[in-house]
Amino acid sequence: MATLLVTGGTGTLGRAVVGRLLDDGHDVRSLSRRLPAGPPAPGLHPYAVDLRDGTGLEEAVAGVDTVVHCASTPSGGDEEAAGHLLDAARVAGVKHLVYISIVGVGGIPLGYYRTKRAVERMVEHSGIDWTILRTTQFHDLLLRVVKTGARSPLLPYPTGLRFQPIEVREVAARMAELALGAPAGRVPDMGGPQVLDVRDLIRLTLRYGGRRRLTVPLWLPGRTMAGFRAGEHLPLIHISEPTRRS
Ligand SMILES: NC(=O)c1ccc[n+]([C@@H]2O[C@H](COP(=O)([O-])OP(=O)(O)OC[C@H]3O[C@@H](n4cnc5c(N)ncnc54)[C@H](OP(=O)(O)O)[C@@H]3O)[C@@H](O)[C@H]2O)c1
Protein backbone atom coordinates (compact mmCIF):
# COMPACT_ATOMS: atom_id res chain seq x y z
CA MET A 1 0.00 0.00 0.00
CA ALA A 2 1.24 3.51 -0.88
CA THR A 3 2.60 5.83 1.83
CA LEU A 4 0.78 9.16 1.65
CA LEU A 5 1.64 12.58 3.11
CA VAL A 6 -0.99 15.33 3.25
CA THR A 7 0.44 18.81 3.86
CA GLY A 8 -2.00 21.16 5.59
CA GLY A 9 -3.65 18.03 6.96
CA THR A 10 -5.27 20.02 9.78
CA GLY A 11 -6.88 22.63 7.48
CA THR A 12 -10.39 22.73 6.01
CA LEU A 13 -9.50 20.70 2.93
CA GLY A 14 -6.52 18.76 4.30
CA ARG A 15 -8.53 17.42 7.25
CA ALA A 16 -11.21 16.15 4.86
CA VAL A 17 -8.60 14.53 2.57
CA VAL A 18 -6.93 12.84 5.55
CA GLY A 19 -10.34 11.63 6.81
CA ARG A 20 -11.23 10.26 3.41
CA LEU A 21 -7.92 8.36 3.05
CA LEU A 22 -8.17 6.97 6.61
CA ASP A 23 -11.77 5.85 5.95
CA ASP A 24 -10.47 4.02 2.87
CA GLY A 25 -8.02 2.13 5.12
CA HIS A 26 -4.78 3.98 4.29
CA ASP A 27 -2.06 5.01 6.71
CA VAL A 28 -1.63 8.77 6.36
CA ARG A 29 1.02 11.27 7.41
CA SER A 30 -0.35 14.74 8.09
CA LEU A 31 1.91 17.79 8.14
CA SER A 32 1.17 21.23 9.61
CA ARG A 33 2.97 23.78 11.77
CA ARG A 34 0.91 22.89 14.85
CA LEU A 35 0.05 19.37 15.94
CA PRO A 36 -3.68 18.76 16.44
CA ALA A 37 -4.79 18.44 20.08
CA GLY A 38 -5.43 14.97 21.49
CA PRO A 39 -4.28 11.54 20.38
CA PRO A 40 -4.19 10.93 16.60
CA ALA A 41 -6.83 8.69 14.96
CA PRO A 42 -5.69 5.13 14.19
CA GLY A 43 -3.53 5.15 11.05
CA LEU A 44 -2.77 8.89 11.31
CA HIS A 45 0.84 10.07 11.79
CA PRO A 46 1.09 13.82 12.48
CA TYR A 47 4.27 15.83 11.76
CA ALA A 48 4.87 19.39 12.97
CA VAL A 49 6.85 21.17 10.24
CA ASP A 50 6.84 24.77 9.05
CA LEU A 51 7.27 24.36 5.30
CA ARG A 52 8.65 27.89 5.04
CA ASP A 53 11.78 26.89 6.96
CA GLY A 54 11.69 23.17 6.20
CA THR A 55 13.09 21.88 9.51
CA GLY A 56 11.94 18.28 10.02
CA LEU A 57 10.68 17.93 6.46
CA GLU A 58 13.24 15.29 5.51
CA GLU A 59 11.83 12.92 8.14
CA ALA A 60 8.21 13.64 7.13
CA VAL A 61 8.79 12.78 3.43
CA ALA A 62 11.18 9.81 3.91
CA GLY A 63 9.61 6.73 2.32
CA VAL A 64 6.57 8.66 1.02
CA ASP A 65 5.15 7.66 -2.38
CA THR A 66 2.58 10.41 -2.83
CA VAL A 67 2.34 13.94 -1.43
CA VAL A 68 -1.00 15.77 -1.42
CA HIS A 69 -0.06 19.44 -1.06
CA CYS A 70 -2.90 21.36 0.66
CA ALA A 71 -0.86 23.60 3.02
CA SER A 72 -1.11 27.28 2.26
CA THR A 73 -0.67 30.62 4.01
CA PRO A 74 -2.54 33.30 2.02
CA SER A 75 -0.60 36.01 3.89
CA GLY A 76 2.62 34.86 2.18
CA GLY A 77 5.37 32.27 1.91
CA ASP A 78 3.73 29.63 -0.29
CA GLU A 79 6.45 29.73 -2.95
CA GLU A 80 9.20 29.31 -0.39
CA ALA A 81 7.21 26.50 1.25
CA ALA A 82 6.66 24.75 -2.09
CA GLY A 83 10.38 25.06 -2.87
CA HIS A 84 11.33 23.26 0.35
CA LEU A 85 8.65 20.61 -0.15
CA LEU A 86 9.62 19.89 -3.77
CA ASP A 87 13.35 19.72 -2.94
CA ALA A 88 12.74 17.30 -0.08
CA ALA A 89 10.30 15.24 -2.17
CA ARG A 90 12.84 14.92 -5.01
CA VAL A 91 15.57 13.76 -2.62
CA ALA A 92 13.18 11.25 -1.00
CA GLY A 93 12.14 9.85 -4.39
CA VAL A 94 8.44 10.81 -4.08
CA LYS A 95 6.64 9.41 -7.12
CA HIS A 96 3.59 11.67 -7.33
CA LEU A 97 2.64 15.12 -6.05
CA VAL A 98 -0.99 16.29 -6.12
CA TYR A 99 -1.57 20.03 -5.79
CA ILE A 100 -4.81 21.90 -5.10
CA SER A 101 -5.27 25.19 -6.90
CA ILE A 102 -8.07 27.63 -7.69
CA VAL A 103 -10.10 28.13 -10.87
CA GLY A 104 -9.04 31.44 -12.42
CA VAL A 105 -5.49 31.68 -11.08
CA GLY A 106 -4.21 32.17 -14.62
CA GLY A 107 -6.60 35.01 -15.46
CA ILE A 108 -7.22 37.02 -12.28
CA PRO A 109 -4.26 39.14 -11.07
CA LEU A 110 -5.07 38.88 -7.34
CA GLY A 111 -1.83 38.54 -5.33
CA TYR A 112 -2.77 35.17 -3.81
CA TYR A 113 -3.83 33.83 -7.22
CA ARG A 114 -0.49 34.87 -8.75
CA THR A 115 1.23 32.92 -5.98
CA LYS A 116 -0.98 29.86 -6.62
CA ARG A 117 -0.10 30.04 -10.35
CA ALA A 118 3.60 30.38 -9.49
CA VAL A 119 3.40 27.28 -7.27
CA GLU A 120 1.58 25.42 -10.07
CA ARG A 121 4.53 26.21 -12.35
CA MET A 122 7.02 25.02 -9.70
CA VAL A 123 5.11 21.73 -9.44
CA GLU A 124 4.95 21.38 -13.25
CA HIS A 125 8.74 21.86 -13.55
CA SER A 126 9.73 19.95 -10.41
CA GLY A 127 10.80 16.75 -12.13
CA ILE A 128 8.29 14.88 -9.94
CA ASP A 129 5.23 13.42 -11.65
CA TRP A 130 2.28 15.63 -10.77
CA THR A 131 -1.46 16.22 -10.78
CA ILE A 132 -3.09 19.64 -10.35
CA LEU A 133 -6.78 20.15 -9.55
CA ARG A 134 -8.28 23.65 -9.63
CA THR A 135 -11.58 24.15 -7.82
CA THR A 136 -13.91 27.01 -6.95
CA GLN A 137 -14.32 28.45 -3.44
CA PHE A 138 -15.44 26.11 -0.65
CA HIS A 139 -18.76 26.96 1.07
CA ASP A 140 -16.84 27.54 4.32
CA LEU A 141 -14.75 30.33 2.81
CA LEU A 142 -17.68 32.28 1.37
CA LEU A 143 -19.62 31.81 4.61
CA ARG A 144 -16.67 33.22 6.57
CA VAL A 145 -16.38 36.22 4.21
CA VAL A 146 -20.11 37.06 4.49
CA LYS A 147 -20.07 36.58 8.29
CA THR A 148 -17.11 38.95 8.59
CA GLY A 149 -18.90 41.55 6.44
CA ALA A 150 -22.07 41.11 8.50
CA ARG A 151 -20.34 42.27 11.70
CA SER A 152 -21.29 45.78 10.62
CA PRO A 153 -24.93 46.90 10.13
CA LEU A 154 -23.96 48.06 6.61
CA LEU A 155 -22.74 45.27 4.36
CA PRO A 156 -21.05 46.56 1.20
CA TYR A 157 -20.53 44.07 -1.66
CA PRO A 158 -18.99 44.24 -5.13
CA THR A 159 -21.60 44.16 -7.89
CA GLY A 160 -21.54 41.91 -10.94
CA LEU A 161 -19.81 38.95 -9.27
CA ARG A 162 -20.99 35.37 -9.35
CA PHE A 163 -19.66 32.37 -7.44
CA GLN A 164 -19.97 28.62 -7.81
CA PRO A 165 -19.17 27.36 -4.29
CA ILE A 166 -18.38 23.73 -3.68
CA GLU A 167 -18.66 21.36 -0.73
CA VAL A 168 -15.17 20.67 0.61
CA ARG A 169 -15.87 16.95 1.07
CA GLU A 170 -16.50 16.65 -2.68
CA VAL A 171 -13.10 18.21 -3.31
CA ALA A 172 -11.48 15.95 -0.71
CA ALA A 173 -12.96 12.85 -2.34
CA ARG A 174 -11.57 13.94 -5.72
CA MET A 175 -8.15 14.75 -4.22
CA ALA A 176 -8.04 11.32 -2.57
CA GLU A 177 -9.01 9.66 -5.85
CA LEU A 178 -6.28 11.59 -7.70
CA ALA A 179 -3.71 10.75 -5.01
CA LEU A 180 -4.44 7.04 -5.32
CA GLY A 181 -4.34 7.15 -9.14
CA ALA A 182 -1.53 7.70 -11.60
CA PRO A 183 -0.11 11.22 -12.14
CA ALA A 184 -2.55 12.96 -14.49
CA GLY A 185 -1.20 16.50 -15.09
CA ARG A 186 -3.79 19.28 -15.05
CA VAL A 187 -7.17 17.61 -14.55
CA PRO A 188 -10.58 19.18 -15.32
CA ASP A 189 -11.64 22.08 -13.10
CA MET A 190 -14.27 21.43 -10.47
CA GLY A 191 -17.07 23.65 -9.16
CA GLY A 192 -20.30 23.31 -7.23
CA PRO A 193 -23.75 22.69 -8.70
CA GLN A 194 -24.99 26.32 -8.78
CA VAL A 195 -23.69 29.63 -10.02
CA LEU A 196 -25.02 32.31 -7.65
CA ASP A 197 -24.93 36.07 -7.90
CA VAL A 198 -23.03 37.51 -4.93
CA ARG A 199 -26.19 39.42 -3.94
CA ASP A 200 -28.16 36.15 -3.67
CA LEU A 201 -25.30 34.44 -1.81
CA ILE A 202 -25.33 37.20 0.79
CA ARG A 203 -29.13 37.22 1.01
CA LEU A 204 -29.26 33.43 1.56
CA THR A 205 -26.43 33.47 4.10
CA LEU A 206 -28.06 36.28 6.09
CA ARG A 207 -31.45 34.58 5.97
CA TYR A 208 -30.10 31.23 7.25
CA GLY A 209 -28.08 33.03 9.92
CA GLY A 210 -31.24 34.89 11.03
CA ARG A 211 -29.59 38.28 10.42
CA ARG A 212 -30.78 41.48 8.76
CA ARG A 213 -28.28 43.87 7.22
CA LEU A 214 -28.47 46.81 4.87
CA THR A 215 -26.53 45.65 1.79
CA VAL A 216 -24.71 48.29 -0.25
CA PRO A 217 -23.78 47.44 -3.86
CA LEU A 218 -20.41 48.85 -4.96
CA TRP A 219 -18.88 48.78 -8.43
CA LEU A 220 -15.17 48.19 -7.86
CA PRO A 221 -12.56 49.14 -10.47
CA GLY A 222 -9.37 47.27 -11.37
CA ARG A 223 -8.26 44.21 -13.34
CA THR A 224 -8.86 41.78 -10.46
CA MET A 225 -12.52 42.77 -10.14
CA ALA A 226 -12.87 42.80 -13.94
CA GLY A 227 -11.54 39.21 -13.98
CA PHE A 228 -14.09 38.13 -11.38
CA ARG A 229 -16.90 39.96 -13.21
CA ALA A 230 -15.85 38.17 -16.42
CA GLY A 231 -16.25 34.85 -14.61
CA GLU A 232 -12.61 33.74 -14.95
CA HIS A 233 -13.08 31.91 -11.62
CA LEU A 234 -16.06 29.83 -12.81
CA PRO A 235 -15.58 26.42 -14.42
CA LEU A 236 -17.75 25.84 -17.43
CA ILE A 237 -19.52 22.70 -16.40
CA HIS A 238 -20.98 21.31 -13.17
CA ILE A 239 -18.87 18.96 -11.02
CA SER A 240 -20.68 15.80 -12.13
CA GLU A 241 -19.81 16.53 -15.76
CA PRO A 242 -16.21 17.75 -15.49
CA THR A 243 -14.54 19.09 -18.58
CA ARG A 244 -11.44 21.05 -19.48
CA ARG A 245 -11.72 24.84 -19.58
CA SER A 246 -11.24 25.88 -23.16
N1 LIG B 1 -10.77 27.65 0.77
C1 LIG B 1 -11.16 27.64 -0.50
O1 LIG B 1 -12.26 28.09 -0.84
C2 LIG B 1 -10.24 27.03 -1.54
C3 LIG B 1 -10.70 26.89 -2.86
C4 LIG B 1 -9.85 26.32 -3.81
C5 LIG B 1 -8.56 25.92 -3.45
N2 LIG B 1 -8.15 26.10 -2.15
C6 LIG B 1 -6.79 25.70 -1.79
O2 LIG B 1 -6.89 24.60 -0.91
C7 LIG B 1 -5.77 24.61 0.00
C8 LIG B 1 -6.30 24.46 1.43
O3 LIG B 1 -7.18 25.52 1.71
P1 LIG B 1 -7.95 25.55 3.10
O4 LIG B 1 -9.06 26.52 2.96
O5 LIG B 1 -8.21 24.14 3.53
O6 LIG B 1 -6.82 26.21 4.02
P2 LIG B 1 -6.75 26.27 5.63
O7 LIG B 1 -8.01 25.78 6.24
O8 LIG B 1 -6.28 27.64 5.96
O9 LIG B 1 -5.62 25.21 6.00
C9 LIG B 1 -4.27 25.49 5.73
C10 LIG B 1 -3.44 24.33 6.26
O10 LIG B 1 -2.08 24.55 5.94
C11 LIG B 1 -1.28 24.48 7.13
N3 LIG B 1 -0.17 25.41 6.93
C12 LIG B 1 -0.25 26.73 6.65
N4 LIG B 1 0.99 27.24 6.50
C13 LIG B 1 1.86 26.22 6.70
C14 LIG B 1 3.27 26.13 6.70
N5 LIG B 1 4.05 27.19 6.47
N6 LIG B 1 3.84 24.92 6.94
C15 LIG B 1 3.08 23.84 7.18
N7 LIG B 1 1.73 23.86 7.20
C16 LIG B 1 1.13 25.05 6.97
C17 LIG B 1 -2.25 24.88 8.26
O11 LIG B 1 -1.90 24.35 9.53
P3 LIG B 1 -1.00 25.22 10.58
O12 LIG B 1 -1.62 26.59 10.62
O13 LIG B 1 -1.07 24.46 11.88
O14 LIG B 1 0.35 25.21 9.99
C18 LIG B 1 -3.52 24.16 7.78
O15 LIG B 1 -3.42 22.78 8.09
C19 LIG B 1 -5.01 25.91 -0.29
O16 LIG B 1 -3.92 25.61 -1.12
C20 LIG B 1 -6.02 26.77 -1.04
O17 LIG B 1 -5.40 27.67 -1.93
C21 LIG B 1 -8.95 26.64 -1.20
Side-chain angles (χ1 to χ4, degrees), residues 7-15 31-35 49-53 69-74 77-78 81 99-103 112 116 133-142 144 166 168:
T7 72
T10 57
T12 307
L13 174 63
R15 211 170 40 238
L31 179 154
S32 54
R33 286 168 298 184
R34 284 171 293 271
L35 291 177
V49 174
D50 186 340
L51 287 172
R52 289 172 305 183
D53 86 4
H69 185 30
C70 300
S72 177
T73 322
D78 278 6
Y99 181 56
I100 179 74
S101 191
I102 307 172
V103 178
Y112 183 55
K116 295 291 294 182
L133 171 67
R134 291 181 181 177
T135 76
T136 58
Q137 290 65 40
F138 311 153
H139 290 299
D140 319 54
L141 174 69
L142 292 178
R144 240 183 299 138
I166 188 163
V168 71

Side-chain angles (χ1 to χ4, degrees), residues 99-101 131-135 171 174-175 178 187-188 190:
Y99 181 56
I100 179 74
S101 191
T131 302
I132 295 176
L133 171 67
R134 291 181 181 177
T135 76
V171 178
R174 178 72 172 132
M175 289 292 281
L178 292 169
V187 295
M190 204 176 164

Side-chain angles (χ1 to χ4, degrees), residues 1-7 17-18 20-22 24-31 43-45 47 60-68 94 96 98 175-181:
M1 197 177 274
T3 301
L4 298 137
L5 168 71
V6 180
T7 72
V17 174
V18 166
R20 178 69 189 219
L21 291 168
L22 290 175
D24 288 348
H26 297 276
D27 266 19
V28 184
R29 298 184 193 181
S30 164
L31 179 154
L44 178 62
H45 309 280
Y47 288 81
V61 294
V64 165
D65 299 295
T66 299
V67 172
V68 183
V94 166
H96 184 190
V98 183
M175 289 292 281
E177 177 187 44
L178 292 169
L180 297 172

Side-chain angles (χ1 to χ4, degrees), residues 3 23 46 66-67 93 98 109 111 120 135 160 174 179 188 192 199 204 223 230 239 244:
T3 301
D23 286 349
T66 299
V67 172
V98 183
E120 283 186 357
T135 76
R174 178 72 172 132
R199 194 185 38 205
L204 286 169
R223 288 195 297 133
I239 172 181
R244 252 179 210 286

Side-chain angles (χ1 to χ4, degrees), residues 155-163 196-202 215-231 233-234:
L155 202 168
Y157 69 91
T159 52
L161 264 60
R162 291 159 295 154
F163 287 94
L196 289 166
D197 190 281
V198 68
R199 194 185 38 205
D200 297 325
L201 253 172
I202 292 171
T215 54
V216 184
L218 293 176
W219 189 91
L220 296 179
R223 288 195 297 133
T224 292
M225 279 300 144
F228 278 113
R229 276 192 296 271
H233 61 304
L234 303 173

